[in-house]
Amino acid sequence: MTQRLKPQDIFGVNPIAAMPFTEKGEVDYQSFENMIRHQIEAACHGLTLFGIASEFYKLSDEEKTKLAKIFVSTLSPTSLYSCISVTDHSTELAIKRAREYQALGADSLMLLPPFFLQPDNVQIKAHICAVLESVNIPVLVQYAPSETGLPIPPYQMAEIAREHPNVVFKIECNPPVAYAKDLLELMPEAVILNGYAGLYMPDMLCIGGKGVMPGCSFTEVYVEIYRRWTLGERDSAMALHHRLLHYIRPWMESCEYIIQIEKTILKHRGIINSDYCRKPAYSLRSEDFHTIENFVQEFYGNGVVLKQMNLSL
């Protein structure tokens, strides 16, 4: 990226990078780089590191520093915007981390607000605002109450948006549509993306959402849905999304479940070498492997990527 990214430049499909490990539980940096290059080839619009799907909570500071450098250096010559998540619980550390990632060359940041031991909403808002004020690149404020147990009402998000023009929102409450609509009514120019494996992707695009932040093991499917949607082929986009829902809805039973599913798909597709997750982790059942095989065959049969297939709907 030669020009500073603006919030309105954030749109489309922005997957969360998985975290490849060796069978002994060490970070597999070569697989990590291979996975990033695969995302570039999949023609997504951006890529995010250290989201929940990246298992950030199982990484050391030393590993995070090395991964962030690989991440930015691999993406910087491309058209994809890079995003690195700031997950530190203390405001002081979060500010330092945000500035470090900006100095490293990240195009944008994501921010997971503090939730351990239940800080009150005044403290949470102060934390978010402090990080937003510490950098001049876009910051995607992550709202994931199912995972954090932390409610932040839309009016507070709107207040933050009015005060900080570099804010972007990643809304992934379940379901997210009503919350996102309320926020857009209060702040129509707000840039909103949705995570949660893209379960609500068409619904969010319908109300003015700008994109989706799913996992990264079948990025091509989300890219194709988004492509059809932006071309005005909405029935076709929704039909393809409906096919995807058959798989992702049960996989979203828990975070660790879909993290393991996505990593096993990445290994099955030859993108990473191992599907190992650091412990504690979810143990897949025999029926899960059968479902994964069916999924890969349906969307990537005969080794042909989805965007090159003539899918009958």
Side-chain angles (χ1 to χ4, degrees):
M1 293 276 178
T2 57
Q3 296 181 339
R4 181 68 71 183
L5 195 74
K6 299 176 182 177
Q8 57 266 33
D9 298 325
I10 295 178
F11 64 92
V13 179
N14 180 343
I16 308 297
M19 189 49 54
F21 298 107
T22 68
E23 291 294 335
K24 293 184 178 180
E26 299 298 321
V27 174
D28 184 345
Y29 294 101
Q30 185 58 60
S31 282
F32 177 69
E33 189 171 340
N34 292 344
M35 183 188 64
I36 296 174
R37 296 194 183 282
H38 175 82
Q39 303 306 309
I40 296 168
E41 293 171 1
C44 57
H45 303 86
L47 189 62
T48 295
L49 179 61
F50 303 143
I52 293 173
S54 307
E55 298 173 86
F56 73 85
Y57 45 92
K58 298 178 183 179
L59 296 170
S60 70
D61 284 347
E62 182 181 2
E63 290 168 337
K64 286 183 178 180
T65 298
K66 185 173 180 179
L67 287 161
K69 289 179 179 178
I70 294 171
F71 183 74
V72 171
S73 64
T74 307
L75 287 179
S76 59
T78 76
S79 62
L80 274 69
Y81 57 84
S82 59
C83 181
I84 306 181
S85 187
V86 175
T87 60
D88 302 87
H89 185 74
S90 81
T91 303
E92 294 83 359
L93 286 179
I95 289 171
K96 289 180 181 179
R97 192 84 66 178
R99 288 173 173 165
E100 287 172 5
Y101 291 155
Q102 177 175 268
L104 189 62
D107 296 309
S108 59
L109 303 174
M110 186 163 74
L111 176 64
L112 180 65
F115 59 91
F116 184 64
L117 298 181
Q118 298 180 318
D120 62 41
N121 280 30
V122 173
Q123 293 172 310
I124 293 162
K125 183 180 177 184
H127 179 98
I128 293 170
C129 292
V131 173
L132 284 162
E133 291 163 6
S134 71
V135 294
N136 57 18
I137 56 178
V139 179
L140 290 81
V141 175
Q142 187 174 9
Y143 181 54
S146 297
E147 286 68 41
T148 64
L150 174 69
I152 304 175
Y155 78 86
Q156 285 197 333
M157 291 293 200
E159 289 173 355
I160 292 169
R162 293 188 190 100
E163 297 166 6
H164 300 89
N166 60 330
V167 71
V168 177
F169 297 103
K170 182 189 180 188
I171 305 300
E172 47 191 343
C173 45
N174 183 24
V177 180
Y179 186 98
K181 284 181 70 174
D182 289 346
L183 178 54
L184 286 169
E185 286 178 5
L186 293 166
M187 199 72 186
E189 61 270 35
V191 177
I192 295 178
L193 287 82
N194 177 231
Y196 223 73
L199 280 179
Y200 304 97
M201 183 178 177
D203 296 328
M204 291 293 284
L205 291 173
C206 266
I207 66 163
K210 301 302 183 184
V212 64
M213 300 180 72
C216 72
S217 64
F218 39 95
T219 298
E220 299 90 347
V221 182
Y222 295 103
V223 169
E224 180 64 12
I225 294 169
Y226 186 78
R227 185 190 70 82
R228 296 182 187 190
W229 187 272
T230 55
L231 287 175
E233 302 170 4
R234 296 198 171 184
D235 289 344
S236 176
M238 293 179 72
L240 181 55
H241 183 261
H242 182 74
R243 289 172 59 180
L244 183 62
L245 276 181
H246 171 74
Y247 295 96
I248 60 174
R249 186 178 282 125
W251 288 344
M252 279 301 292
E253 174 186 309
S254 73
C255 282
E256 291 283 6
Y257 183 24
I258 194 165
I259 286 170
Q260 184 63 76
I261 286 282
E262 293 240 17
K263 203 174 286 189
T264 301
I265 292 173
L266 285 167
K267 179 187 176 184
H268 188 93
R269 298 185 61 200
I271 298 167
I272 62 175
N273 291 326
S274 169
D275 62 351
Y276 186 92
C277 288
R278 282 179 173 171
K279 310 303 181 189
Y282 190 98
S283 296
L284 298 183
R285 303 152 294 189
S286 58
E287 55 265 35
D288 291 320
F289 293 102
H290 179 69
T291 302
I292 288 170
E293 180 66 38
N294 289 342
F295 174 86
V296 173
Q297 183 59 36
E298 178 172 350
F299 290 103
Y300 299 93
N302 302 316
V304 182
V305 297
L306 177 139
K307 66 180 181 180
Q308 295 174 333
M309 295 171 65
N310 181 18
L311 291 174
S312 59
L313 299 175

